[in-house]
Amino acid sequence: MSALIILLLILSIILFIVSFFQKDQSSNVKKELDDLSMNLYQETYQMNKRIKVLEEELLVDDQLMKKELSKSDKPIVNEILRNQVIALFKQGLSVEQISKQSALAQAEVKNVIANFLNQ
């Protein structure tokens, strides 16, 4: 019985000493997690930087567009509105009614109708 106890004691001491020489798996996992989180932060930073650049470009484009629109005193009437005004004119509606339905000024409606009649 005492030989068994001594044998178990020697075995436990050997296993205890061997455990100090084995690699720690948790340190590898911690390192990988740190690397992954650092990559995530870097990518997030890069994306935010790109978004800021795009927002600035859009802001500049928007400001240029507003300047171009403010330079031209004549509002732009697109083809759809022009066709709508002509169709309403053909139906016999007055300039005031066409202006209300198309959300255009009466002068613009008259201009579109005059261009249609001159064609």
Side-chain angles (χ1 to χ4, degrees):
M1 183 74 163
S2 64
L4 184 61
I5 293 175
I6 292 173
L7 182 65
L8 286 176
L9 185 61
I10 292 171
L11 183 62
S12 65
I13 291 171
I14 292 171
L15 289 176
F16 184 71
I17 292 171
V18 168
S19 69
F20 283 111
F21 295 110
Q22 284 191 340
K23 286 187 174 181
D24 187 18
Q25 296 296 327
S26 64
S27 67
N28 288 340
V29 172
K30 285 181 184 179
K31 185 178 183 303
E32 288 177 12
L33 183 62
D34 287 342
D35 290 343
L36 183 64
S37 64
M38 187 58 89
N39 285 338
L40 181 65
Y41 287 134
Q42 288 174 348
E43 289 176 6
T44 304
Y45 175 74
Q46 291 294 328
M47 291 293 274
N48 286 336
K49 200 171 168 184
R50 290 177 186 165
I51 288 172
K52 284 182 183 180
V53 168
L54 286 173
E55 286 175 345
E56 289 173 358
E57 287 178 5
L58 288 174
L59 183 62
V60 168
D61 288 346
D62 189 37
Q63 289 174 349
L64 289 175
M65 181 82 93
K66 287 180 181 177
K67 285 181 183 178
E68 289 295 322
L69 288 176
S70 66
K71 285 181 183 177
S72 64
D73 294 335
K74 188 176 179 183
I76 301 170
V77 179
N78 64 23
E79 193 65 32
I80 296 172
L81 278 175
R82 190 174 296 125
N83 290 338
Q84 180 187 13
V85 168
I86 293 169
L88 293 173
F89 176 72
K90 287 180 179 178
Q91 291 174 8
L93 273 77
S94 68
V95 174
E96 294 83 16
Q97 292 172 329
I98 295 172
S99 174
K100 287 179 184 177
Q101 288 188 9
S102 64
L104 293 173
Q106 290 183 9
E108 293 172 5
V109 172
K110 289 178 183 177
N111 188 18
V112 169
I113 292 172
N115 287 340
F116 172 70
L117 294 175
N118 291 334
Q119 290 179 349

